Amino acid sequence: MSKKIIIIGGGIVGLSSAYFLSKEGHDVTVIDKSDITSGASFVNAGYITPSHIIPLASPGMIAKGIKMMFNSASPFYMKPRWDTEFFKWSWYFYKSSTKEKVAKAIPVIKDINVLSRELFGAIKASGDLGDFQLERKGLLMLYKTQEAYLHEKDVANKASFLGLEVRELDQKQLAKLEPEVAIDAKGAIHYECDAHSTPTQFMPKIVAYLKSAGVKIRTNEEVLDLEVKGNRIQEIKTSKANYTADEVILAAGSWSGQIAKKIKMDLPLQGGKGYSINVARPTGITIPAILMESKMAVTPMDGFTRFAGTMEFSGNNDFVRKERVMAIASGAKNFYPTVDINANEIASVKTGLRPVSLDGLPYIGRSSKWANLTFATGHAMMGWSLGPATGKLISEIIDERKVSMNIDAFSPDRRF
């Protein structure tokens, strides 16, 4: 039976949800406070990463954040500020960062990433969006030190045990794989299971397809309030109109927690800011890489190479810290000595906020408080990778069908 569905949020997760829900014949409206041309879904590294099996909330992360708190150029930065919501989230995050919880999360993260990789492929094969970059060249974890190698080797062993394709490369093998660019690294671990894409190409195409399929896209429209009656959301009030719906999907990224507060719900969530620089000149880089000691990502996209990175907790804003941008440029030079990022490219830096949950796992599932509310947010650094999988799971939840995988670990009600 067709349902009238409102999706709050027009990022990769919200649009993927609209894609699969519209395929099932539902009447779908997407509402976003922006014009859907910027933000995390546009400036991310474009990775589709089954290899990223370790959640952001892992042992020692909060300690690292506190240690780096007064160095605004550090890869993981928490701006000193008095913010009770941030304190509470930090406590939950700390409680989640145990070896036991990480061990439980690993197979779940792997499963949803593999599901999403296959769905990206299915979307391309369908022809709905026309042609778009989707390449499976894997991901290189480049390292300079023995410490970094041993850390990633442990992750690689876990990934291999789970059936993911991974191999080690020495300098000669690395040079053979990337012959057009000099790489200053001792070696790499190559996750052959990974893929990549160009977000700035994919996003306009999925918006265009959804419009052609009858999905209503409401841009530059902010959700101001949610009115409830009984145990249901009765009305969505925005800056332009009022809406009613059978089902409401909250997929508003880093702003999801603020919207949840309008219906007296506590959704532990913080915006983690990332930065990206595009270089439209030839770089010789053909395979995506993470520069381990620089803690940044490099992606050969369609028409340019993207250098991205950092995790900054400083509130939901788009303020650019120049020292963080310069850290990305110098980090790239450290591994690719022949690649220069010029002043104009640095000045064109973009930022985006990733929604980070209390444990680095997404919130996917129905609300226990409101019968017609479903959450699809909190994906941290894996939002792009997990977009299609989340959209598929959301459509299965709404239609009360068997979900493609066990989603208990993604419960919006989990706390520690």
Side-chain angles (χ1 to χ4, degrees):
M1 182 179 73
S2 177
K3 294 181 180 180
K4 188 177 180 182
I5 299 172
I6 296 287
I7 299 174
I8 303 173
I12 181 64
V13 172
L15 297 181
S16 293
S17 299
Y19 178 86
F20 287 103
L21 286 165
S22 67
K23 290 282 187 182
E24 298 300 325
H26 296 294
D27 178 5
V28 182
T29 300
V30 177
I31 302 172
D32 196 277
K33 66 185 185 66
S34 76
D35 59 1
I36 315 184
T37 61
S38 61
S41 291
F42 287 82
V43 306
N44 65 85
Y47 290 166
I48 302 157
T49 50
S51 69
H52 280 33
I53 56 176
I54 307 297
L56 187 61
S58 56
M61 283 301 293
I62 288 293
K64 287 179 184 178
I66 293 172
K67 184 179 179 180
M68 297 177 177
M69 186 174 283
F70 298 100
N71 178 10
S72 59
S74 64
F76 186 76
Y77 174 60
M78 299 190 299
K79 180 185 177 183
R81 67 191 191 277
W82 187 265
D83 183 334
T84 54
E85 290 297 319
F86 181 65
F87 295 154
K88 184 165 61 175
W89 172 86
S90 299
W91 174 246
Y92 284 137
F93 195 87
Y94 170 75
K95 294 284 284 182
S96 303
S97 302
T98 67
K99 289 182 179 179
E100 294 76 18
K101 288 185 171 63
V102 168
K104 288 181 180 179
I106 285 173
V108 180
I109 297 174
K110 174 255 184 180
D111 287 346
I112 191 171
N113 267 289
V114 170
L115 172 63
S116 213
R117 184 188 65 191
E118 300 312 307
L119 289 170
F120 264 111
I123 291 171
K124 181 162 186 173
S126 72
D128 290 339
L129 276 59
D131 191 32
F132 61 88
Q133 185 198 30
L134 182 64
E135 296 185 75
R136 188 169 167 180
K137 293 184 175 181
L139 175 67
L140 296 171
M141 300 295 290
L142 298 175
Y143 61 85
K144 288 176 173 287
T145 64
Q146 184 72 0
E147 181 184 6
Y149 163 71
L150 291 175
H151 170 81
E152 196 57 39
K153 175 64 175 173
D154 181 59
V155 177
N157 288 341
K158 292 181 173 69
S160 182
F161 178 79
L162 291 171
L164 298 175
E165 304 92 339
V166 55
R167 66 181 178 127
E168 293 188 43
L169 303 174
D170 59 23
Q171 287 179 322
K172 288 183 178 180
Q173 292 169 316
L174 186 57
K176 186 176 181 180
L177 202 61
E178 279 282 49
E180 300 301 320
V181 63
I183 300 177
D184 185 359
K186 285 190 174 182
I189 290 178
H190 187 197
Y191 290 98
E192 297 172 316
C193 51
D194 289 7
H196 71 283
S197 57
T198 301
T200 50
Q201 182 185 71
F202 184 93
M203 288 292 287
K205 286 178 178 287
I206 193 170
V207 168
Y209 166 77
L210 290 173
K211 288 180 178 179
S212 72
V215 173
K216 294 169 281 293
I217 309 287
R218 308 300 188 209
T219 57
N220 299 307
E221 191 164 343
E222 184 177 0
V223 172
L224 302 177
D225 203 6
L226 301 174
E227 288 200 354
V228 297
K229 185 176 182 181
N231 68 339
R232 298 179 64 83
I233 295 175
Q234 187 78 6
E235 190 173 48
I236 300 99
K237 295 187 173 183
T238 76
S239 54
K240 294 182 178 180
N242 296 342
Y243 301 87
T244 59
D246 300 312
E247 300 280 356
V248 179
I249 314 298
L250 183 53
S254 297
W255 289 266
S256 298
Q258 296 173 15
I259 295 174
K261 279 184 172 55
K262 298 179 186 298
I263 48 176
K264 296 180 171 59
M265 289 200 71
D266 176 31
L267 189 71
L269 201 66
Q270 287 289 316
K273 188 186 298 178
Y275 295 75
S276 72
I277 302 169
N278 295 339
V279 174
R281 297 170 287 107
T283 62
I285 299 169
T286 64
I287 300 175
I290 287 181
L291 316 183
M292 292 191 65
E293 286 83 359
S294 295
K295 293 181 170 55
M296 57 175 287
V298 182
T299 315
M301 295 187 177
D302 194 356
F304 58 93
T305 303
R306 174 165 290 175
F307 299 85
T310 83
M311 179 62 82
E312 174 186 332
F313 294 104
S314 59
N316 284 4
N317 60 71
D318 58 3
F319 179 76
V320 174
R321 296 182 185 277
K322 292 181 180 178
E323 63 273 25
R324 301 186 71 73
V325 183
M326 296 309 298
I328 291 174
S330 62
K333 184 73 172 176
N334 195 26
F335 278 81
Y336 299 102
T338 60
V339 176
D340 290 302
I341 300 177
N342 65 40
N344 288 334
E345 290 156 348
I346 289 171
S348 299
V349 67
K350 305 292 184 184
T351 68
L353 288 162
R354 307 95 139 195
V356 184
S357 69
L358 80 174
D359 56 5
L361 297 179
Y363 297 119
I364 305 173
R366 280 199 177 276
S367 165
S368 60
K369 185 175 182 179
W370 307 108
N372 63 337
L373 174 64
T374 303
F375 292 93
T377 187
H379 295 72
M381 299 174 79
M382 293 185 288
W384 185 261
S385 184
L386 301 184
T390 302
K392 180 70 171 176
L393 291 167
I394 289 297
S395 72
E396 292 166 347
I397 291 167
I398 295 301
D399 285 343
E400 298 181 348
R401 292 182 281 121
K402 182 180 179 181
V403 290
S404 297
M405 61 173 287
N406 189 311
I407 59 172
D408 291 347
F410 307 142
S411 169
D413 297 317
R414 67 187 187 275
R415 299 291 185 275
F416 302 105

